[in-house]
Amino acid sequence: MNEAATGERSSYRICPLCEACCGLEVRSRDGQVIGIRGAAADPFSAGYICPKGYALKDLHEDPDRLRTPLLRRGGELVPASWEEAFDEIARRLPPLLAEHGRDAVALAVGNPSAHKFGLLLYFNRLAKALGTKNIFSASTLDQMPKQLASGLLFGHWLSVAVPDIERSDFLLVIGANPVASNGSLWTVPDFRGKAKALRARGGRLVVIDPRRSETAAIADAHHFIRPGSDAQLLAAMTHTLFNEGLVRLGRIEAWVDGVDAVRDAVAAFSPERVAAHCGIEAATIRALARELAGARSGCVYGRIGTCTQRHGTLASWLIDVLNVLTGHLDEPGGAMFPKAPAFAYNTQGRPGSGRGVTTGRHRSRVSSAPEVFGELPMTLLAEEIETPGDGQVRALITVASNPVLSCPGGPRLAAALEGLDFMVSVDIYVNETSRHADVVLPGWSPLEDSHYDVAFPQLSYRNQARYSGPVFAAPAGQPPEWQTLLRLAAIAKGRCADADLLADDDEWLASDVRRLAGEQAAAALAGLAGLSGPERLLDLALRLGPYGDGFGQRPDGLTLAKLQAAPAGIDLGPLQPRLPEMLRTPSGKVELAPAILLQALPQALDDLDVAAPALVVVGRREVRSNNSWMHNLPTLAKGPLRCTLLIHPADAAAHGLVDGSQAHITGSGRTLAVTTELSDTMMVGVVSLPHGWGHDLPGARLALAAQRPGINLNALLDEGQRDPLSGNAVLSGVAVTLAGA
Ligand SMILES: Nc1nc2c(c(=O)[nH]1)N[C@H]1C(S)=C(S)[C@@H](COP(=O)(O)OP(=O)(O)OC[C@H]3O[C@@H](n4cnc5c(=O)[nH]c(N)nc54)[C@H](O)[C@@H]3O)O[C@H]1N2
Ligand SMILES: Nc1nc2c(c(=O)[nH]1)N[C@H]1C(S)=C(S)[C@@H](COP(=O)(O)OP(=O)(O)OC[C@H]3O[C@@H](n4cnc5c(=O)[nH]c(N)nc54)[C@H](O)[C@@H]3O)O[C@H]1N2
Ligand code: SF4
Ligand SMILES: [Mo]
């Protein structure tokens, strides 16, 4: 922080709002934000910022953002002290657990937890203390298929290969719109600038999407695809590689198992066989496969559009299969594995092999869905609350989660929440979900909190280490969120609400140190003295990490203190080849043909013969919006109406609709009124609606958002549809009908 003579301060802050993780420069005076801009000195984001980054000022100042706990009294949520709030939880939660067992309480964790290291690092403490199997998160509304596929192939769910875009000649983007979303499972600030640079040096960007998205608009080519048919398209591209003798594994050949099994598995997926189903001509499918195989460097990158469908895990798998078979995995300019400075499983333990991943260690009670990475599908939360019997969910703790808007079947879930015996929300707003809680516990504003991204350096386009301290002092009397989670954990273990949290933290730390530090345990504990909370866990992870000082073993290595002394972070260089060292599979190889995927592939073949619905809906993201929760911020809320139904003019005409018509859209037995926006960017037969809207529910306290509430896409989606392998919700290509209003 620089204190200028004017009383103006400039602070470095990593933006916690999306996966791009831009470094920002926050200028303030007298405790007020006077300006936010991209931090030019940040070696990773180099000054990039989007409108949401600027809106951190609005978030900090939002009068609707909670500054005190709320407690339900006489049916109303009213302000309460922290002591009263925790006393209420201590009074009501333990008896429920004692009477009905640990599974009687469910945990639902939402997206912002991934962007708050206090929440991310301490959530597991709470889950462990609760001992419940009923754990749900936004992962099963999002990337669980990619996690599972990566886990099966490479041995850990966060070993996700990302495009090395700065050295790439060819990028095939399928089911992602990084120009609007700023990237996902790929931390790549200023994607647009990097894509422009790729094209300027003669490279090609190709996009496959049912909408000519903002990313497609800057691409060399765009192909429409029928929603939900990506697995079949990618299988046909794989088929083409074998059929035309284009398979070339290159340097990694010795570490890949299962190529022949993949060849057999895709034998029936000829381009001709899938073309009509995908809406892409056979010749185009072949050309795509040839271009990928022929690129000097390049890769396929797929994201949420390829995950949120019935064959999401198959599609996610086949993306990596294509990268492997064309020699682009783990090669400069291809799909590479970042080496994160802290917390990455693929830098811990014995290099080159590991336990791999298994799923289905337990099943959900009602639908018998397999557990994946300890989680059950979020779409099944409602039935677990509704269905009586042993193990019924009677209490819920949500952490930065708004499933009433973000999960299919939102209205059903809202009704189910009313049937709970007890609900706690750790949230900064009374939103459409936390309005149902008995106790709401707020966290700090991002500008009051320190920040380190636990997950995203594992997904970054370059290796990097960045930390930012708080811009403003913490609000008096309000605990940081990690302590709130520890307090909840203590209560769950039956301890009184005023348990000694710092002693608990020391105990948890000691067990982490025993697990991670081995012979260094004593040195580590001594070296960490003076720190507490997430910072202490970060220092431990950095110092034991691949660039770390090893608690004195490598004196030049990284420590939290060194990171704190680096004004805008530390660049750790371009991505490097990491095979076979990063693998954690039992075989020590890339397991390209996992049995559960081979067994599931014939279903994708059978689906080629299922008649397509006349009209389906897909989702959409827009730069000024962020899932369900930034519609209350003035700088983002202004401007044109964003929650519109994009529809091709031919489809509109067929339904008697014109631009700006009010239409009734029906899906899963629920009908909502929506404003249409005619656009030839849509594929015929596909309409697009953004998710996270529908801010007109009684009891929510989002005054600005309620002025233009939009409609809840997830009210129209069917909570009964999911990818059977990963449990991920189907959000793409769900049948709807339309009628003029
Ligand atoms: N139809 C459809 N549905 C979707 C999607 C889609 O593409 N289509 N996308 C899905 C995806 S990818 C995701 S990730 C989910 C996201 O959906 P959710 O997981 O529900 O997350 P958000 O809507 O981002 O935020 C949830 C809440 O977190 C709270 N919050 C924000 N910051 C903080 C904080 O610092 N601390 C605490 N305690 N709370 C905070 C906000 O009040 C907000 O209401 O939505 C999914 N839903
Ligand atoms: N501005 C903004 N940025 C965000 C978010 C936000 O809400 N707003 N959310 C953040 C979160 S939580 C996430 S997970 C990421 C997601 O980041 P992205 O994966 O880039 O998500 P989208 O922008 O929704 O892009 C998905 C694209 O897939 C297309 N699509 C839909 N169905 C299909 C299909 O079946 N097949 C194919 N091939 N394409 C399909 C859609 O038309 C859309 O263009 O964005 C993050 N960034
Ligand atoms: S792109 Fe994402 S990380 Fe960067 S400023 Fe915008 S919201 Fe923040
Ligand atoms: Mo997400």
Side-chain angles (χ1 to χ4, degrees), residues 611-674:
L615 196 67
V616 297
V617 68
V618 296
R620 168 168 104 241
R621 284 179 162 75
E622 200 269 342
V623 177
R624 290 177 172 271
S625 182
N626 201 23
N627 298 320
S628 75
W629 73 281
M630 296 193 74
H631 303 141
N632 209 52
L633 306 182
T635 40
L636 299 180
K638 65 186 183 206
L641 188 68
R642 295 197 170 84
C643 187
T644 58
L645 186 78
L646 285 183
I647 181 169
H648 190 276
D651 284 327
H655 289 87
L657 300 169
V658 295
D659 193 44
S661 289
Q662 281 292 104
H664 283 136
I665 181 166
T666 302
S668 305
R670 291 178 281 253
T671 299
L672 295 171
V674 67

Side-chain angles (χ1 to χ4, degrees), residues 11-98:
S11 318
Y12 173 72
R13 165 73 218 197
I14 301 165
C15 178
L17 298 176
C18 92
E19 294 176 50
C21 307
C22 301
L24 306 180
E25 186 190 330
V26 181
R27 285 182 304 121
S28 61
R29 195 188 301 124
D30 304 330
Q32 301 283 316
V33 178
I34 53 174
I36 299 182
R37 60 188 174 213
D42 187 309
F44 185 69
S45 60
Y48 183 74
I49 185 171
C50 86
K52 288 195 296 296
Y54 186 75
L56 276 172
K57 172 177 160 65
D58 287 4
L59 177 60
H60 184 69
E61 294 167 0
D62 189 350
D64 286 337
R65 187 171 61 77
L66 300 176
R67 273 89 169 162
T68 154
L70 302 177
L71 202 54
R72 191 167 297 282
R73 288 211 176 103
E76 278 288 304
L77 281 172
V78 297
S81 70
W82 283 92
E83 202 183 336
E84 288 168 319
F86 284 123
D87 281 348
E88 176 78 356
I89 299 168
R91 188 174 71 77
R92 294 179 64 181
L93 189 63
L96 278 170
L97 295 170

